[in-house]
Amino acid sequence: MRQCCDVTSRRQVPRTKITVPGPPADLVPRARLLTVLDGAAEAAMVFVGAPAGFGKTVLLAEWARRRDRGTVAWLSADADDNDDRLFWSAVLEALGRCDRIPDGNPLRLLAVPQTPSSDLVFLARVTDALDALTEPVVLVLDSAQEITAPGPWQGLRALVRHQPAGLCLAVASRREPPLPLGRARLADRLVEIGAARLRFTDDEAAALFAAADVAIPRDEIAPLVARTGGWPAGLRLAAASAARHGSLREFDTGRDGTVLDYLTDEVLAPLTPAQWELLRTISICDELPAGLAPVLSGRADAEAMLRELGEPAARVVDSGGTPPHHRVTPLLRTYLRAELHRRAPDRARTLHAAAARWFARHDRPASALLHSVRAGDPARVGELLREHAVTLFLAGEHHVLRLALAVVEDRRGPAGSLAALISAALCLEAAETSAAGLQLARAEAAWPDRPAAELTVLRQLAYARLAQLDRSPAQVRRAAEEIDERLAAGTALDGFAAVYRAALLLAREQARETLVRLLGTAEELRQDFTVAQCLTVLAELAGHDGDYRVMETLARRAEARRPRQESLRSVQGAQVSALLAYGALLRGEPAECLKHAKGIRHLVGDAPARAARDLRLVTETLRGAAEFELGGWHAGLRRMRRARNRLGSGRACPPGYAALCAVLEQRAALRLGAAGQARETVRWAQSVLPGSGELLLMRARTQLRLGRHHAASTVLRSLADDEVPMALPWAAIEASLVGVQAALAAGARERAARLLDDALRTAEPTGVRFPFVFAPPELVAFLTSRLGGLGAGERFAGEILAVRRRLRTPPMPAPLTDRERSVLRLLPTQRSIDEIAQDLTVSPNTVKTHVRGIYAKLDVRSRREAVAIAQERGLLDAEVADFTV
């Protein structure tokens, strides 16, 4: 009986060892993972397995704190737990702290024998005591990798094998523990969370930076998550580095000593000197194809060593059919490479040169060129450029080309025509037309007497692209006609030249057929830049034809081909982002539209080229429309107005851009009651879109807003009967909905139903939900009332209403009257009610009535609040003095 009740035979256990750790100051709730753990009620075991820094302890501790009090027994393992008696003493003490274990349960009294894990009687009593519990407890064994002795694992295996109903064993470890996990998996009694699930998402990373009170721009979050591989410790190190230095620069360049210390202590310390040296040697490469590691390190067993390492030191990357290659994880690679260049720069250059030779032998010119640049070998860089510059440009390796050309220019070597033309092409892709002109002049100055066909075609293409970006339509056509397709045939530029001619000269259908054929060829040749150009032009053609679903699909494919270097500017990338923003808005997804639109300025910067300017302005209109629909009515409307004013006469920009700006701005202005801005937009459209269907649509809207529903219907009939052309195919859907509103206002519900059916039938194939989702309440009510009788349009109507419910945008505020606007403008002057009445030649009671109306519509209670809100919403700006709320 002594063994059953002599608690004094247990070893003493520190309280902190069996206490659930408190939350870190920058805790990021992991709801998606906690849901997985909450599903462990029927599981015998939970295994959270990942290398150091993946947040295993933080996750299990958060889960433990969320559970009912007294249902979790916590044990933080350490080297002392290799002592079998100490380990089982800690287990029993931890279990004894659970309220769910009653006072009379043997677990509270059980003595720990000399060799508990091999004492069958002891283990049977523990099992029976747990089996007697009416509700299970969770035993968390944290840092289980610290237990290396076989004894404790032998006892735990015996315990798990009997599967007591009152126990769920949760293990957190850097490696898989010697427990029967395979059997638990087969029996579906194991809940498992590995490194892949523990990686932070972009949203979780943003929450981490917010919790740490570190201001990191939202558009920098996703690249940072990619660089760290979502490694929680890496992101916490980034947050701490940003807090210390005010930015991520020190962290990104490998110069933050605190980060280096952590990596050394937590990641590198467990490695052997040989493993450490191998990682430092191969850190010069972003990725390590099979066969390169032995060459760089001089070790035949290098790849076997890398397979043994695993995260967070190195990862095996599936190459899709080719032998898998290895990669030092980006964060560690950055710091190892920085240390190597700092401590042994000559060795670093030697390693880069060896890598360059290996890549050249294996027909990897981009990598060979990059490592030649890093080796500081301008002669070899020049050789590789002469041989591969054109193919690398077509493959989209623009970042490497820029680095290589900078090396050649910095060394003041002879700038041949080829290098100058490639430089010009890169400048043009970034919309840097002035710099491109200088490079073209250099190319002309060094032009050979007998140029190769490829060189001549490259010059023709550069001038055509320059014209496309910054010249008149007539100049664009002349430059495109000068591209010699016969001369291009047989050169690497054959397909690329054909893409330009098709995009600039051919009719739509003919261009589409040609581009589809060229796309297949470019994909076979792995010319990613040519592929992206084909896809972008095809997406634009689909948009012109109103095939918006196809437009978005093609634009996403083009985006996937775009180089991921954050510093690269790209007109083509900006065009793709604009198409994606446009498509998202038409689908009724303003938040997604905003996300795509915000990145466009980074892609074209402040480049003065006409094409870049047009892209910026149409993007500003899309941003304004998205902000408006998300509830930022005045800010969105101001943004659209600024964009239109900067377009000026609009005669030089594509008609589709001008039509989009006008239609979206007037629509928003009328909905908000900004009559002055709506009139201004129509006057602008009259000068830039004469005779267009969009102008008639805007006139019909105006008539409807004025209560003249018969006049609105008349304008719409002329739009349909005369088949007036429209630059925006979706505007016809908008016109039908304006007709629905006019018919409802006239009491003609049958005509309204017929027009609504037509609008749904037209919109469904294209996926255009925007005019419906953000329609006025009376139109939405009519659509809702028609549910069940819409026939083929029933499903699409359901989608529209579901999107509208999900967005939950705030209701549009009631507009201020003209007199209320006049009173509002005088409120900041501190005039009294009587003085305002005198200025406006009305009675003080009338002014008081208007003030009450202003307060109600602005949702304020005082004059001070009214002025503050009016200033915030731009109601007092001189530029928007005629705005209503």
Side-chain angles (χ1 to χ4, degrees):
M1 292 294 294
R2 178 177 176 79
Q3 192 183 39
C4 291
C5 59
D6 190 0
V7 179
T8 59
S9 67
R10 298 182 186 178
R11 298 282 298 275
Q12 188 170 357
V13 179
R15 184 173 293 272
T16 54
K17 186 181 178 68
I18 55 176
T19 301
V20 177
D26 58 355
L27 175 68
V28 175
R30 312 292 301 274
R32 60 187 177 87
L33 299 181
L34 293 170
T35 301
V36 175
L37 292 173
D38 287 339
E42 301 300 321
M45 279 190 289
V46 172
F47 175 48
V48 180
F54 271 86
K56 303 180 292 297
T57 299
V58 173
L59 174 64
L60 284 177
E62 184 185 3
W63 183 48
R65 289 191 298 271
R66 276 169 41 110
R67 294 179 66 85
D68 293 339
R69 185 175 178 274
T71 64
V72 176
W74 185 278
L75 173 55
S76 297
D78 53 37
D80 291 343
D81 290 298
N82 289 300
D83 180 324
D84 201 22
R85 280 193 72 208
L86 178 60
F87 172 74
W88 281 102
S89 296
V91 168
L92 292 178
E93 289 296 326
L95 289 168
R97 300 187 72 189
C98 290
D99 294 343
R100 187 167 281 181
I101 297 176
D103 291 341
N105 189 285
L107 291 173
R108 295 188 178 278
L109 305 172
L110 198 59
V112 178
Q114 201 64 35
T115 57
S117 288
S118 57
D119 190 317
L120 298 181
V121 174
F122 169 76
L123 293 174
R125 287 174 173 159
V126 172
T127 302
D128 290 344
L130 288 168
D131 215 24
L133 297 178
T134 56
E135 293 183 273
V137 295
V138 177
L139 172 60
V140 176
L141 180 58
D142 189 33
S143 300
Q145 74 279 349
E146 298 292 335
I147 305 175
T148 56
W153 292 116
Q154 177 186 342
L156 281 176
R157 279 197 301 274
L159 190 66
V160 171
R161 185 169 58 249
H162 294 294
Q163 295 185 356
L167 176 69
C168 173
L169 177 63
V171 178
S173 177
R174 294 184 184 181
R175 53 181 173 269
E176 191 164 305
L179 292 171
L181 299 185
R183 183 168 44 175
R185 288 188 188 103
L186 286 174
D188 199 23
R189 299 205 66 195
L190 175 68
V191 171
E192 199 165 4
I193 295 178
R197 278 179 160 178
L198 288 166
R199 297 183 198 283
F200 270 28
T201 64
D202 293 354
D203 289 338
E204 288 170 340
L208 171 66
F209 281 101
D213 197 23
V214 176
I216 297 294
R218 181 73 197 197
D219 58 358
E220 292 184 21
I221 298 292
L224 177 61
V225 172
R227 290 196 298 276
T228 58
W231 186 34
L235 290 164
R236 285 193 161 87
L237 290 169
S241 181
R244 285 192 299 273
H245 302 291
S247 74
L248 288 170
R249 182 173 179 78
E250 298 295 308
F251 176 82
D252 286 338
T253 56
R255 295 201 298 259
D256 192 314
T258 304
V259 177
L260 179 61
D261 290 344
Y262 178 89
L263 295 173
T264 302
D265 294 341
E266 295 294 330
V267 180
L268 298 173
L271 306 184
T272 66
Q275 290 172 325
W276 190 327
E277 180 58 27
L278 174 62
L279 287 177
R280 186 166 62 165
T281 298
I282 65 174
S283 69
I284 65 156
C285 295
D286 295 341
E287 291 185 352
L288 208 71
L292 180 54
V295 172
L296 294 178
S297 65
R299 299 185 62 102
D301 62 345
E303 292 184 357
M305 290 174 65
L306 286 171
R307 282 193 292 272
E308 292 172 2
L309 286 175
E311 287 194 272
R315 298 179 67 187
V316 177
V317 181
D318 185 0
S319 306
T322 61
H325 57 275
H326 295 86
R327 180 172 63 192
V328 180
T329 49
L331 178 58
L332 182 60
R333 182 177 68 237
T334 297
Y335 279 82
L336 287 173
R337 185 186 294 172
E339 280 288 286
L340 180 64
H341 281 271
R342 188 161 49 243
R343 293 173 181 250
D346 291 339
R347 181 160 182 259
R349 284 191 289 270
T350 300
L351 289 169
H352 280 301
R357 290 190 295 272
W358 189 92
F359 280 115
R361 286 196 305 272
H362 289 79
D363 195 26
R364 301 277 294 273
S367 296
L369 184 57
L370 177 62
H371 284 284
S372 295
V373 169
R374 290 175 175 171
D377 187 351
R380 182 61 178 150
V381 168
E383 292 173 11
L384 289 169
L385 280 173
R386 284 191 290 275
E387 189 176 352
H388 299 292
V390 170
T391 55
L392 290 176
F393 178 78
L394 297 175
E397 299 287 356
H398 295 180
H399 179 63
V400 176
L401 285 171
R402 286 179 182 274
L403 293 175
L405 290 165
V407 167
V408 174
E409 290 177 6
D410 286 349
R411 298 286 176 149
R412 301 187 183 278
S417 291
L418 176 61
L421 286 174
I422 292 293
S423 292
L426 293 172
C427 291
L428 290 169
E429 179 52 23
E432 299 164 355
T433 48
S434 298
L438 292 174
Q439 293 296 339
L440 286 170
R442 292 175 66 183
E444 299 290 2
W447 198 253
D449 294 333
R450 295 184 177 180
E454 191 170 73
L455 195 64
T456 300
V457 174
L458 185 59
R459 179 172 67 171
Q460 293 169 351
L461 287 168
Y463 281 111
R465 182 61 163 162
L466 178 62
Q468 185 186 24
L469 290 175
D470 213 25
R471 300 290 186 268
S472 68
Q475 291 172 306
V476 172
R477 186 169 188 85
R478 281 197 299 272
E481 288 171 344
E482 289 177 7
I483 299 173
D484 192 333
E485 284 189 282
R486 288 178 299 175
L487 193 62
T491 72
L493 290 164
D494 183 16
F496 195 63
V499 170
Y500 264 77
R501 285 185 61 85
L504 300 177
L505 297 176
L506 298 181
R508 260 183 222 168
E509 280 307 312
Q510 193 178 359
R512 186 179 286 106
E513 292 173 6
T514 302
L515 288 166
V516 169
R517 175 176 53 80
L518 294 171
L519 176 61
T521 304
E523 287 179 325
E524 289 177 10
L525 296 173
R526 297 186 178 180
Q527 295 180 346
D528 278 8
F529 185 61
T530 307
V531 169
Q533 292 286 351
C534 280
L535 290 168
T536 304
V537 177
L538 284 169
E540 290 176 335
L541 291 175
H544 285 310
D545 292 342
D547 295 334
Y548 299 113
R549 293 186 195 271
V550 174
M551 178 189 79
E552 282 198 273
T553 299
L554 292 169
R556 289 193 193 97
R557 289 176 59 189
E559 186 182 42
R561 297 283 184 159
R562 193 166 62 82
R564 291 300 171 199
Q565 285 82 7
E566 299 161 41
S567 60
L568 284 185
R569 290 185 173 179
S570 167
V571 174
Q572 184 266 330
Q575 290 170 322
V576 168
S577 292
L579 290 170
L580 290 172
Y582 185 29
L585 184 69
L586 292 183
R587 279 190 288 108
E589 300 289 352
E592 186 182 340
C593 171
L594 209 56
K595 182 188 75 172
H596 289 299
K598 283 180 177 178
I600 293 177
R601 179 165 287 278
H602 169 74
L603 289 167
V604 292
D606 295 320
R610 175 188 51 77
R613 183 202 66 208
D614 290 347
L615 274 170
R616 285 194 298 269
L617 295 179
V618 76
T619 300
E620 284 295 283
T621 296
L622 290 170
R623 280 189 67 177
E627 288 171 350
F628 184 92
E629 302 302 353
L630 288 169
W633 303 293
H634 297 286
L637 205 49
R638 283 200 302 274
R639 189 181 294 277
M640 286 188 272
R641 186 184 214 179
R642 285 196 299 269
R644 173 174 49 78
N645 285 337
R646 288 170 186 165
L647 274 173
S649 67
R651 295 185 187 280
C653 80
Y657 285 12
L660 183 64
C661 292
V663 168
L664 288 177
E665 184 183 359
Q666 192 228 16
R667 184 182 195 275
L670 288 176
R671 286 183 62 206
L672 197 59
Q677 186 169 350
R679 287 193 298 271
E680 184 182 306
T681 307
V682 173
R683 284 196 297 270
W684 180 80
Q686 286 172 337
S687 65
V688 300
L689 298 168
S692 69
E694 284 80 9
L695 186 58
L696 288 178
L697 167 62
M698 295 168 73
R699 287 174 177 162
R701 283 175 177 165
T702 302
Q703 295 299 322
L704 185 65
R705 183 69 179 183
L706 293 172
R708 302 167 183 166
H709 49 82
H710 291 299
S713 297
T714 300
V715 174
L716 291 172
R717 275 196 299 274
S718 67
L719 173 62
D721 295 344
D722 298 340
E723 297 183 352
V724 182
M726 281 187 161
L728 306 174
W730 67 269
I733 300 168
E734 175 81 0
S736 293
L737 294 184
V738 172
V740 172
Q741 294 175 72
L744 289 174
R749 293 182 68 84
E750 288 187 9
R751 179 156 55 92
R754 187 171 62 255
L755 289 170
L756 179 62
D757 289 347
D758 289 344
L760 289 169
R761 190 163 44 249
T762 304
E764 183 171 17
T766 66
V768 174
R769 298 190 293 235
F770 170 75
F772 301 91
V773 170
F774 302 109
E778 63 272 17
L779 196 150
V780 175
F782 184 61
L783 174 63
T784 305
S785 72
R786 293 270 298 143
L787 289 177
L790 291 171
E794 194 76 31
R795 185 183 63 83
F796 189 59
E799 287 180 14
I800 290 165
L801 295 173
V803 171
R804 186 178 171 89
R805 285 193 299 271
R806 174 169 52 80
L807 287 172
R808 287 188 295 193
T809 54
M812 188 75 69
L816 295 176
T817 65
D818 289 342
R819 184 60 78 181
E820 285 171 341
R821 291 203 304 273
S822 300
V823 171
L824 177 62
R825 293 190 194 104
L826 293 174
L827 291 184
T829 63
Q830 299 301 313
R831 286 182 173 87
S832 67
I833 294 294
D834 290 341
E835 289 171 329
I836 292 174
Q838 187 175 0
D839 284 348
L840 297 177
T841 63
V842 296
S843 72
N845 285 337
T846 299
V847 173
K848 290 177 183 178
T849 300
H850 293 322
V851 169
R852 284 195 297 272
I854 291 169
Y855 288 3
K857 291 174 181 178
L858 294 181
D859 192 23
V860 297
R861 296 182 179 179
S862 69
R863 184 170 182 164
R864 182 192 297 271
E865 284 183 292
V867 171
I869 291 295
Q871 289 173 336
E872 178 186 329
R873 296 182 182 177
L875 301 178
L876 300 177
D877 293 351
E879 181 188 35
V880 288
D882 60 350
F883 274 22
T884 59
V885 174

